[in-house]
Amino acid sequence: MSSNYLFTSESVAEGHPDKVSDQISDSILDAIIEKDPAAKVDCETVVMQGNVIVTGQITTNAYVDIPTVVRKTLKEIGFDNAKVGIDYETCGIMVSVTEQSPDIAMGVNRSSEEQGAGDQGIMFGYATNETPELMPLPIVLAHNLMKRFADVRKQKILPYLRPDGKSQVTIEYENGRPKRVDTVVIAAQHDEDVSEDQVRKDVTDHIIKHVIPSSMMDDKTKLIVNGTGRFVIGGTLADTGLTGRKIIVDTYGGVGSHGGGCFSGKDPSKVDRSGGYMARYIAKNIVAAALADKCEVQISYAIGVANPVSVMVNTYGTGKLPDDTLTEIVKKAFDIRPGMIIQHLKLLRPIYRKTSCYGHFGREDDDFTWEKTDKVEELKLLVKN
């Protein structure tokens, strides 16, 4: 890639149908894992108009009233009117789940040291020193716009906004570093009696200018609010939501690689989740230790097998050591067996609902243990030795 380029990332609001599905799936996971940390959960949700379908494989000794969890989640998002999306009180809910395959359980239900991966797959983690969060700037700003979108809606600063929305941020890079914001796109669902001029002005003043640093904008920065001129019909009235369809939003905004597996609705025995978190943890610690300006880590697993099939570090030519040397250091510093990942990152806790919006990475939250940089000194010591 040229050192001068435009790069774009997007985020979506809490009321986007796919994010509604993610939040429901992770809320169900939290409710189960709070009562039964040993539960095995692979839960998917479909949302469309006035209906919610919860399906998947769940093995647990706990009883959870899934419809109650669904209604509570919809209420917290703000869906209380069937005419504008879905009503948490009156929506139809169908639950169709079965137990996890005993063939999988044979390789997973073991001690932490021997616990095998809950599936085969490849996971990627990424970090870059272009932001304090060690995340790519476009996805950081896109998420922050959607957080602010939810805040002004829920705090009644812009009470006419509805739950559905999207953001998109294009950054101009010069010599590989962020230079300026080229374009900001916001799709903001709103009540039908509000003019588009009012929506554009309010969204610009209360959301865009509140989030995007003025130093990053200039007279050439383009602001696009509701590009079609109107966004009244949205949410689950206009689109079907499905768990796991926003995997790029959930990760790095299109920077780096992605193995294809989603996070939401999956307990951490599924390496799509735990392995993805671990890969981010490794990459972030490498960058935080100043061993590279940017870093991508790939981990791969075979179902039922504890040790990863492969581990790879790619620093895109920015590493202070060769990538193969860093890979060997990573193998010494991090135990990448699934059971040990779960133990080290403390993943058997009901923390997952809040991961399901605004990205799983780059967050200031003690529960996001994979965001800690507590391996920096150990990595530096291994480099010296």
Side-chain angles (χ1 to χ4, degrees), residues 90-115:
T90 62
C91 66
I93 299 173
M94 173 180 164
V95 179
S96 178
V97 299
T98 186
E99 291 189 339
Q100 177 179 268
S101 165
D103 295 343
I104 296 175
M106 289 172 58
V108 174
N109 296 342
R110 301 173 181 168
S111 66
S112 294
E113 292 82 2
E114 297 179 347
Q115 179 176 332

Side-chain angles (χ1 to χ4, degrees), residues 41 52 84 127 129 164 193 234 237 262 276 296 298-299 309-310 323 342 359:
V41 181
V52 178
V84 301
N129 62 10
D164 195 5
D193 58 353
L237 284 181
C262 79
E296 181 176 88
Q298 186 203 54
I299 310 172
V309 173
S310 66
D323 288 348
I342 292 168

Side-chain angles (χ1 to χ4, degrees), residues 188 190 194-201 225-232:
H190 57 86
V194 182
S195 72
E196 281 300 323
D197 287 342
Q198 186 67 44
V199 173
R200 289 192 186 96
K201 181 180 185 306
V225 178
N226 289 355
T228 68
R230 177 181 169 89
F231 186 12
V232 173

Side-chain angles (χ1 to χ4, degrees), residues 41-352:
V41 181
D42 189 355
C43 173
E44 298 192 36
T45 303
V46 181
V47 182
M48 181 59 187
Q49 295 186 343
N51 296 294
V52 178
I53 303 172
V54 177
T55 188
Q57 299 80 44
I58 299 175
T59 303
T60 180
N61 294 321
Y63 172 74
V64 168
D65 187 341
I66 289 177
T68 296
V69 175
V70 171
R71 295 189 194 282
K72 182 175 183 289
T73 305
L74 291 172
K75 180 180 181 181
E76 290 172 351
I77 295 170
F79 283 113
D80 56 5
N81 187 338
K83 293 183 178 180
V84 301
I86 192 170
D87 179 9
Y88 75 93
E89 291 186 295
T90 62
C91 66
I93 299 173
M94 173 180 164
V95 179
S96 178
V97 299
T98 186
E99 291 189 339
Q100 177 179 268
S101 165
D103 295 343
I104 296 175
M106 289 172 58
V108 174
N109 296 342
R110 301 173 181 168
S111 66
S112 294
E113 292 82 2
E114 297 179 347
Q115 179 176 332
D119 200 355
Q120 72 175 56
I122 55 176
M123 297 85 220
F124 290 91
Y126 183 84
T128 172
N129 62 10
E130 69 184 61
T131 64
E133 299 89 348
L134 302 187
M135 288 284 287
L137 182 60
I139 191 65
V140 169
L141 293 179
H143 284 324
N144 288 343
L145 287 167
M146 287 294 92
K147 290 177 190 174
R148 179 63 179 172
F149 178 85
D151 288 343
V152 299
R153 174 174 62 86
K154 293 180 176 180
Q155 295 170 14
K156 307 299 183 183
I157 296 171
L158 301 180
Y160 59 78
L161 290 180
R162 293 178 178 176
D164 195 5
K166 280 188 173 184
S167 65
Q168 189 171 287
V169 177
T170 302
I171 299 293
E172 180 182 341
Y173 283 78
E174 185 174 81
N175 297 320
R177 307 298 294 180
K179 178 184 178 183
R180 56 181 288 275
V181 174
D182 181 82
T183 307
V184 178
V185 179
I186 297 281
Q189 189 189 16
H190 57 86
D191 291 346
E192 59 185 343
D193 58 353
V194 182
S195 72
E196 281 300 323
D197 287 342
Q198 186 67 44
V199 173
R200 289 192 186 96
K201 181 180 185 306
D202 287 345
V203 168
T204 299
D205 292 344
H206 293 281
I207 299 178
I208 297 175
K209 291 183 178 179
H210 185 89
V211 170
I212 307 296
S214 58
S215 59
M216 292 290 292
M217 294 195 290
D218 54 32
D219 57 2
K220 295 182 180 179
T221 299
K222 299 176 283 296
L223 307 180
I224 302 172
V225 178
N226 289 355
T228 68
R230 177 181 169 89
F231 186 12
V232 173
I233 300 173
T236 60
L237 284 181
D239 194 8
T240 302
L242 179 63
T243 301
R245 279 207 300 216
K246 287 292 175 282
I247 58 176
I248 300 303
V249 171
D250 286 342
T251 52
Y252 309 101
V255 177
S257 307
H258 198 295
C262 79
F263 299 141
S264 289
K266 297 176 180 177
D267 77 84
S269 72
K270 282 69 175 174
V271 285
D272 278 337
R273 184 159 226 157
S274 54
Y277 289 176
M278 191 63 173
R280 161 65 176 174
Y281 178 57
I282 296 169
K284 186 174 184 181
N285 274 272
I286 287 173
V287 173
L291 299 180
D293 294 333
K294 60 180 70 174
C295 178
E296 181 176 88
V297 173
Q298 186 203 54
I299 310 172
S300 69
Y301 292 94
I303 189 168
V305 179
N307 288 309
V309 173
S310 66
V311 181
M312 183 193 72
V313 173
N314 177 12
T315 63
Y316 300 90
T318 71
K320 304 305 184 285
L321 297 170
D323 288 348
D324 57 350
T325 302
L326 285 173
T327 299
E328 293 306 310
I329 289 172
V330 162
K331 292 177 181 178
K332 294 177 182 178
F334 300 89
D335 193 332
I336 315 177
R337 292 174 293 175
M340 303 311 293
I341 293 173
I342 292 168
Q343 183 175 299
H344 182 74
L345 297 181
K346 301 178 175 64
L347 297 180
L348 293 177
R349 296 172 295 138
I351 58 173
Y352 296 108

Side-chain angles (χ1 to χ4, degrees), residues 356-368:
S356 56
C357 284
Y358 316 124
H360 293 244
F361 308 122
R363 306 271 291 274
E364 293 284 341
D365 189 310
D366 289 340
D367 285 333
F368 287 56

Side-chain angles (χ1 to χ4, degrees), residues 362-378:
R363 306 271 291 274
E364 293 284 341
D365 189 310
D366 289 340
D367 285 333
F368 287 56
T369 51
W370 51 93
E371 289 298 307
K372 293 182 177 181
T373 53
D374 52 359
K375 286 284 192 175
V376 165
E377 295 307 318
E378 182 178 350

